[in-house]
Amino acid sequence: MASPEHPGSPGWRGPINQCVTRTRQEVLPPGPDLPGPGPEEAQDGPSSNSSMTTRELQEHWQKEKSRWKHVRLLFEIASARIEERKVSKFVMYQVVVIQTGSFDGDKAVVERRYSDFERLQKALLKRFGPELEDVAFPRKRLTGNLSAETICERRRELREYLRLLYAVRAVRRSREFLDFLTRPELREAFGCLRAGQYARALELLGRALPLQEKLTAHCPTAAVPALCAALVCLRDLERPAEAFAVGERALRCLRARESHRYYAPLLDAMVRLAYALGKDFAALQGRLDENQLRRPTHRGATLKELTVREYLS
């Protein structure tokens, strides 16, 4: 069997030209199990027209079964610092999230101020009300907020608050909880990507991705946009080997989800990276061709075109 033409040759079938994908924004539903699948992604298993063999299907479901085991996380307010602005002072609390049950060398660290916690509480009360009856939120203080004693006490209270929230299944899988812990960094990262500030975008993605993957272990596709953004940054920084490795992680998240809007653009990017790295890209090209045959519609967006549309609001 003849090997596929290389990108740029006369016989190259142009994965970008034939790439099929949806260009709509993937909006996560307001239901308690975040992130939920969209209309064409309603099942977590292989699609009915999947080309997986019986053995591959068995391996897939075995991996799915182990993946769906509940990932337990511990929250710690590791430290706090006072930040001064021109007209105000406030405390930034460092939130550390660690996965239990095994050594977690990829702990997630973010910083949030009391007002961020307060906004989260209001949003959760509006949506979950009765389910939060036993969750105590640290009361607001009119004076003494910057004293060492108050900061120390609030660190303990906020740690307990996060622990109690995480214990409520609907809350820990909610959009509000996920956004509180990841959205500021992801929004800034995608903004830097749009501005061509790839190194800064990578730094922010490196902080947000480990936490996002921990929080959405029940639905790995949620991390695909951020992984693809990291691929784009690394590729444009001329770090193709690292970009390819990140792309492999994203493809694992999309296994048997061939209708996902990122699937074809990601395969296209991976074919081109594999060719640039001198890797065998026949299997990747075969998957892309097969996907295009199943979904022969208009030209789809490139991977970069998709990622720059994320977190616009």
Side-chain angles (χ1 to χ4, degrees):
M1 181 176 178
S3 61
E5 301 286 346
H6 65 78
S9 70
W12 176 243
R13 283 170 284 182
I16 289 184
N17 292 332
Q18 296 182 13
C19 179
V20 179
T21 184
R22 293 179 183 267
T23 58
R24 62 175 174 79
Q25 284 293 93
E26 183 178 22
V27 180
L28 298 177
D33 288 344
L34 175 86
E40 84 276 19
E41 302 160 13
Q43 55 183 2
D44 285 309
S47 57
S48 58
N49 59 356
S50 173
S51 60
M52 297 171 74
T53 65
T54 302
R55 183 175 180 180
E56 287 174 332
L57 284 168
Q58 290 172 341
E59 292 175 352
H60 168 78
W61 287 118
Q62 194 169 13
K63 289 177 181 177
E64 284 295 307
K65 185 177 179 182
S66 62
R67 181 192 294 168
W68 274 77
K69 291 179 181 177
H70 175 44
V71 175
R72 294 195 60 82
L73 301 178
L74 291 179
F75 295 84
E76 182 62 68
I77 309 297
S79 63
R81 62 181 179 84
I82 297 174
E83 183 161 319
E84 292 192 45
R85 299 281 173 87
K86 288 184 178 179
V87 294
S88 65
K89 287 184 182 181
F90 53 87
V91 182
M92 294 293 292
Y93 296 92
Q94 186 186 75
V95 182
V96 178
V97 186
I98 303 173
Q99 183 174 325
T100 64
S102 60
F103 173 73
D104 187 1
D106 204 13
K107 66 180 180 181
V109 181
V110 295
E111 281 193 323
R112 297 292 181 267
R113 54 189 295 188
Y114 177 82
S115 59
D116 296 323
F117 285 91
E118 193 173 34
R119 277 192 293 272
L120 171 65
Q121 174 69 357
K122 289 178 180 177
L124 292 176
L125 282 175
K126 184 176 180 180
R127 182 171 167 193
F128 299 107
E131 297 185 63
L132 301 180
E133 289 180 354
D134 298 326
V135 179
F137 182 72
R139 64 184 179 86
K140 193 166 189 175
R141 300 170 185 265
L142 298 178
T143 59
N145 288 324
L146 302 181
S147 70
E149 183 180 355
T150 298
I151 292 173
C152 185
E153 181 181 352
R154 186 159 280 173
R155 282 175 56 192
R156 291 193 298 269
E157 292 173 339
L158 291 174
R159 178 186 61 190
E160 180 66 7
Y161 172 67
L162 290 175
R163 185 189 70 80
L164 292 172
L165 287 181
Y166 186 74
V168 181
R169 182 178 184 272
V171 170
R172 70 171 174 261
R173 292 190 172 190
S174 69
R175 183 61 185 255
E176 291 83 356
F177 191 66
L178 179 63
D179 279 355
F180 166 74
L181 289 166
T182 64
R183 187 173 181 83
E185 287 75 18
L186 287 174
R187 186 176 180 180
E188 185 179 352
F190 279 87
C192 290
L193 170 60
R194 282 188 288 274
Q197 299 171 5
Y198 302 124
R200 175 59 179 163
L202 270 179
E203 179 187 343
L204 292 162
L205 288 168
R207 285 159 49 189
L209 255 171
L211 182 50
Q212 187 181 39
E213 289 177 314
K214 287 177 171 65
L215 291 168
T216 60
H218 60 287
C219 188
T221 56
V224 168
L227 286 168
C228 288
L231 182 156
V232 170
C233 290
L234 288 164
R235 183 190 63 190
D236 288 4
L237 287 170
E238 299 183 357
R239 294 158 62 179
E242 294 171 82
F244 190 85
V246 171
E248 288 182 315
R249 285 170 60 191
L251 280 176
R252 285 195 293 271
C253 292
L254 289 175
R255 185 168 179 80
R257 302 294 289 277
E258 297 166 12
S259 62
H260 195 283
R261 65 198 176 97
Y262 271 88
Y263 185 77
L266 176 58
L267 277 176
D268 172 71
M270 291 294 283
V271 167
R272 294 173 182 276
L273 282 169
Y275 177 74
L277 291 166
K279 294 178 178 288
D280 182 4
F281 59 89
L284 290 167
Q285 182 65 53
R287 289 168 66 181
L288 181 59
D289 290 344
E290 194 173 319
N291 181 266
Q292 291 164 353
L293 286 173
R294 290 202 187 102
R295 302 166 67 84
T297 60
H298 61 281
R299 176 189 181 276
T302 66
L303 193 64
K304 190 170 188 176
E305 288 170 344
L306 270 185
T307 54
V308 297
R309 296 171 187 162
E310 302 284 352
Y311 293 89
L312 285 171
S313 59

